[in-house]
Amino acid sequence: MKFVIAVLITTIATAACGSGQSGNTSDREPSGQVTMDEQQATRRAEEIIHQAVDGMSPRPTLKRSGLRPVGPCLADEHSSGERVQVRITYQLTDVPGDAAKKLVRQARDTWVDRGYEFQGSDADWSDPFPSVSMRTVPDDFWMTALTGVVDRAKGEGLASISVTSPCFADDSSASADPASFRTTSDEEAERRALRHSSRLYDALRVPHAPARGGEGIGTYQDGADTYSHHSWSTRPLTAEETALAMARARRFLEAEGWTTRISAGAAGLAIAARDPRDGSIVQVSPSTTGAVRVAVTAGSSPGTAV
């Protein structure tokens, strides 16, 4: 179960990184800044989550993920430290596993009723484990509701909802060093994530694409634990190139002793894997654009990414 939860967190982070949020934010305000603070962003994110959850049947219990809700803006270079954003993720627990798909659909229906917009197409509701990504109008919060696989044979899953705010100015930046997001443990988490990313890049053996908005490295704190998330994409590939690259990634991960799981996505089979030695989580998935997307979440010490 811990593996499923960690993969859900990584999947949600990948969806947020791929949303292009920074472009929409800068279109609204030439300065690229949004007028809000952490408290306002958190309050609005919680409101969007409760809009989806409060009327659900069966009624789930919200279980907060381990990631600290506020962190550096992933649309910026992490080293700049000038903007931050809030990202809140909840697992929807205490409901039967076969209700997960129903809960995701109820979240989607509630958000549609409120006039929120889809990012890309609607979910494939014939899939037993669907996901949906949307954005609020006009304040441009991004949200994802998805189902992680618990037992494919029984059709059981674990639903999760995440909301990510637009990037906004860090109130503490005037008095704090921009590097204040970093500590020794931050750097260790980042080294782990980048090391795994680099080895996956070598295994895929296809060129990477220029970084899109939201891709790159971000570090988050949860009490004494530090997590680093790194995401990137390959250039668009043909179907044959994608199949070969995904097969190479799977062979590499399995040869290195990672615990791997394969799941069906909108653009083909995706790989989720966990390194039993340090708890790092990897997701490698083809996209509808033809690119293969990679996301790595690593902790500052063995086991903290679980």
Side-chain angles (χ1 to χ4, degrees):
M1 179 64 72
K2 286 185 177 180
F3 179 83
V4 174
I5 292 169
V7 170
L8 278 170
I9 294 170
T10 304
T11 304
I12 288 169
T14 306
C17 289
S19 65
Q21 182 176 347
S22 61
N24 287 340
T25 299
S26 58
D27 287 345
R28 285 200 316 275
E29 298 194 21
S31 66
Q33 302 286 9
V34 174
T35 304
M36 69 172 67
D37 56 27
E38 179 183 340
Q39 184 178 19
Q40 292 169 327
T42 300
R43 186 165 57 245
R44 175 59 171 145
E46 292 280 2
E47 177 187 34
I48 295 164
I49 288 169
H50 281 278
Q51 287 171 351
V53 172
D54 287 352
M56 283 183 172
S57 177
R59 180 70 179 269
T61 299
L62 292 177
K63 181 180 178 182
R64 187 80 163 262
S65 80
L67 296 181
R68 183 172 179 264
V70 65
C73 173
L74 293 184
D76 297 340
E77 290 297 327
H78 178 64
S79 58
S80 69
E82 295 175 356
R83 298 195 300 171
V84 294
Q85 62 188 148
V86 167
R87 181 176 296 106
I88 296 176
T89 301
Y90 284 104
Q91 301 144 30
L92 308 185
T93 64
D94 296 333
V95 295
D98 58 7
K101 176 179 179 179
K102 181 179 180 181
L103 298 185
V104 171
R105 181 147 201 166
Q106 289 177 17
R108 174 260 196 200
D109 291 346
T110 298
W111 289 335
V112 167
D113 288 344
R114 290 183 173 271
Y116 300 155
E117 297 180 352
F118 287 101
Q119 294 303 312
S121 58
D122 193 1
D124 178 6
W125 297 106
S126 65
D127 188 333
F129 304 103
S131 64
V132 61
S133 294
M134 300 181 70
R135 60 178 287 266
T136 65
V137 180
D139 52 356
D140 205 30
F141 281 66
W142 295 69
M143 57 275 202
T144 300
L146 59 85
T147 312
V149 180
V150 173
D151 188 326
R152 182 170 294 279
K154 295 180 180 179
E156 294 182 349
L158 175 66
S160 189
I161 288 181
S162 176
V163 175
T164 303
S165 77
C167 297
F168 53 91
D170 179 11
D171 290 340
S172 64
S173 60
S175 58
D177 188 317
S180 61
F181 283 115
R182 295 179 179 272
T183 66
T184 301
S185 58
D186 290 355
E187 294 169 357
E188 177 59 30
E190 183 173 305
R191 280 195 296 270
R192 288 178 188 273
L194 292 176
R195 181 171 64 249
H196 290 313
S197 262
S198 177
R199 298 192 69 192
L200 267 172
Y201 175 72
D202 291 341
L204 285 169
R205 300 208 303 270
V206 291
H208 66 78
R212 303 176 308 152
E215 291 186 334
I217 192 79
T219 304
Y220 310 89
Q221 193 79 29
D222 177 34
D225 296 329
T226 301
Y227 304 84
S228 189
H229 180 78
H230 185 230
S231 60
W232 54 276
S233 301
T234 71
R235 65 168 175 79
L237 307 175
T238 66
E240 181 180 2
E241 289 173 330
T242 296
L244 290 172
M246 294 295 293
R248 287 192 290 266
R250 183 176 182 179
R251 284 197 300 270
F252 163 76
L253 291 165
E254 290 178 346
E256 290 294 308
W258 291 63
T259 302
T260 59
R261 294 189 181 182
I262 309 301
S263 60
L269 295 179
I271 302 169
R274 177 183 180 273
D275 187 340
R277 293 156 294 196
D278 66 13
S280 297
I281 300 296
V282 162
Q283 185 174 24
V284 186
S285 56
S287 70
T288 55
T289 67
V292 172
R293 295 177 181 168
V294 177
V296 180
T297 301
S300 58
S301 59
T304 56
V306 177

